Amino acid sequence: MGHSAAVWDYKAAVEVTKDWNGIDQVMLRSPRGSSARVSLHGGQVISWRNNQGEELLFTSNKVSFSFSFHFNYEAIFLLDDPDVLSYAVAIFKPPKAMRGGIPICFPQFGNCGSLEQHGFARNRVWTIDENPPPLHPNDSKGKSFVDLLLKPSEEDLKCWPHSFEFRLRVSLTSDGDLVLISRIRNINGKPFSFSFAYHSYLLVSDISEVRIEGLETLDYLDNLGQRERFTEQGDAITFESEIDRVYLSTPNVIAVLDHERKRTFVIRKEGLPDVVVWNPWEKKSKAMMDFGDEEYKQMVCVDGAAIEKPITLKPGEEWTGRLEISVVPSSFCSENLDPSLGP
């Protein structure tokens, strides 16, 4: 693909550019005007805009703050403030993942294991996969897409001694829906297990006006209470304080309603039995260096995931996890959700 624009058809294009650290980013555009930006740092979707150019994914403003510092690097030293300098470097010095977008959590979610928080995939530089194995025809409908590849480094093998190939396709449909398809193959001589999540930061108008439908009556693990198991009692999930839960055996379709913006995120998934719901609320927001004190009001994480029962692959086996996010008018509600429907 190189660093020039590659046109997949006469309207949709894929363009590769470089970010402030010299790492490639891929811009995807759909025929009707939506777009997505994918960083090869982490294979992370860092922007998704609708046909009107409105951003749909949350990224912390602290990210923008660091951008300005990077582009004005000399200004940091002119400020002669070591606290400001260390702050800027701490947030953006590679290989730290950006706070927001859709980081890939693999081969571990959270800190429930021996690896770094959420595993190492989100902190590695991926490559563009020029010749990926063919996908199922139903997964090839993206008008604009990029295939990425991650293989373990020597350092990765020291902390997680399993050989794998991780192929990620990010695509936009002709309607502007965002689709992520992960294929993880065991090329090791013995079985291995992993947990996984698309850690999706959705941009909302006001978290107090958000409701999530499709998870009612389900069991969940409460990460705020030593992963104790509870059953959801509400007819929908609403937010009045910090929430950090893993919902189990979830349906294939979940709706995230943003009443103020009068729109609904519809999440369709396959191979991902669990759903993580997270909002840090006020106290935790103030404790995170790469997150604004009030930014919890504009975001919610709703992740398609495989956590409670890790995925186990025998030598040569491959696992696929698929996530599709679309945005529809807010008249869409859980009455439209059919748990039997696939993505």
Side-chain angles (χ1 to χ4, degrees):
M1 185 179 294
H3 291 161
S4 61
V7 178
W8 299 101
D9 62 30
Y10 68 98
K11 288 185 178 179
V14 178
E15 180 183 3
V16 182
T17 59
K18 290 187 180 295
D19 70 9
W20 64 98
N21 283 316
I23 298 174
D24 283 347
Q25 289 187 351
V26 183
M27 173 67 84
L28 307 176
R29 296 183 177 87
S30 78
R32 297 182 182 178
S34 61
S35 65
R37 187 179 295 272
V38 188
S39 174
L40 267 63
H41 184 263
Q44 182 172 350
V45 179
I46 58 176
S47 175
W48 173 38
R49 294 179 180 271
N50 63 16
N51 297 346
Q52 290 74 47
E54 298 171 324
E55 182 60 59
L56 301 169
L57 298 179
F58 168 88
T59 53
S60 173
N61 285 331
K62 293 286 185 73
V63 173
S64 301
F65 178 77
S66 73
F67 285 175
S68 65
F69 270 108
H70 188 94
F71 287 118
N72 297 284
Y73 194 66
E74 293 182 359
I76 298 175
F77 294 96
L78 292 173
L79 287 171
D80 197 24
D81 186 336
D83 291 334
V84 172
L85 176 58
S86 62
Y87 171 78
V89 172
I91 294 178
F92 288 103
K93 184 179 180 181
K96 186 175 178 63
M98 178 185 296
R99 173 72 69 180
I102 308 181
I104 302 292
C105 302
F106 170 85
Q108 173 182 301
F109 180 81
N111 56 8
C112 300
S114 60
L115 301 177
E116 59 195 276
Q117 172 87 356
H118 291 323
F120 51 73
R122 68 191 186 125
N123 291 322
R124 298 296 183 266
V125 177
W126 297 51
T127 58
I128 293 176
D129 191 357
E130 303 284 2
N131 297 295
L135 284 166
H136 188 279
N138 289 343
D139 287 326
S140 301
K141 63 180 181 179
K143 288 291 187 180
S144 177
F145 65 91
V146 65
D147 288 289
L148 303 182
L149 176 64
L150 178 69
K151 295 183 179 181
S153 66
E154 290 185 7
E155 290 301 312
D156 295 335
L157 291 171
K158 289 178 182 178
C159 65
W160 200 67
H162 306 293
S163 295
F164 65 88
E165 288 181 342
F166 188 149
R167 299 179 188 274
L168 171 67
R169 172 170 288 193
V170 181
S171 62
L172 286 174
T173 69
S174 58
D175 292 330
D177 300 344
L178 180 66
V179 182
L180 290 85
I181 302 170
S182 291
R183 292 181 287 174
I184 299 170
R185 178 175 291 276
N186 181 354
I187 57 173
N188 207 41
K190 58 184 180 180
F192 63 71
S193 299
F194 61 89
S195 55
F196 179 93
Y198 292 111
H199 197 27
S200 309
Y201 287 75
L202 305 180
L203 182 64
V204 298
S205 55
D206 184 345
I207 188 62
S208 64
E209 296 294 324
V210 168
R211 107 189 234 121
I212 301 174
E213 298 185 350
L215 301 175
E216 51 274 10
T217 76
L218 298 182
D219 285 358
Y220 64 86
L221 304 178
D222 190 351
N223 289 326
L224 302 180
Q226 291 73 53
R227 293 175 64 82
E228 189 175 355
R229 190 173 183 129
F230 296 94
T231 300
E232 178 59 51
Q233 300 297 319
D235 60 356
I237 299 170
T238 56
F239 297 83
E240 297 177 349
S241 60
E242 181 182 358
I243 287 181
D244 188 353
R245 300 172 181 171
V246 180
Y247 285 84
L248 311 174
S249 301
T250 61
N252 288 337
V253 188
I254 307 296
V256 183
L257 288 73
D258 184 342
H259 294 298
E260 187 170 319
R261 283 210 172 101
K262 295 183 173 59
R263 70 185 182 197
T264 296
F265 292 94
V266 181
I267 298 171
R268 295 178 170 86
K269 58 189 180 63
E270 183 177 351
L272 301 162
D274 305 325
V275 168
V276 179
V277 178
W278 179 66
N279 182 283
W281 218 251
E282 186 174 7
K283 183 178 179 181
K284 187 165 287 184
S285 296
K286 292 180 178 179
M288 294 189 291
M289 284 192 64
D290 58 352
F291 198 85
D293 291 355
E294 300 291 318
E295 287 188 326
Y296 71 92
K297 297 178 181 178
Q298 274 73 57
M299 58 73 61
V300 63
C301 283
V302 183
D303 309 353
I307 298 171
E308 184 197 24
K309 298 176 181 177
I311 305 297
T312 298
L313 293 179
K314 296 176 182 178
E317 283 188 335
E318 182 176 273
W319 168 86
T320 300
R322 186 181 192 278
L323 182 77
E324 179 172 346
I325 311 177
S326 57
V327 178
V328 298
S330 59
S331 56
F332 188 98
C333 66
S334 60
E335 293 177 358
N336 300 92
L337 300 178
D338 182 349
S340 67
L341 291 176

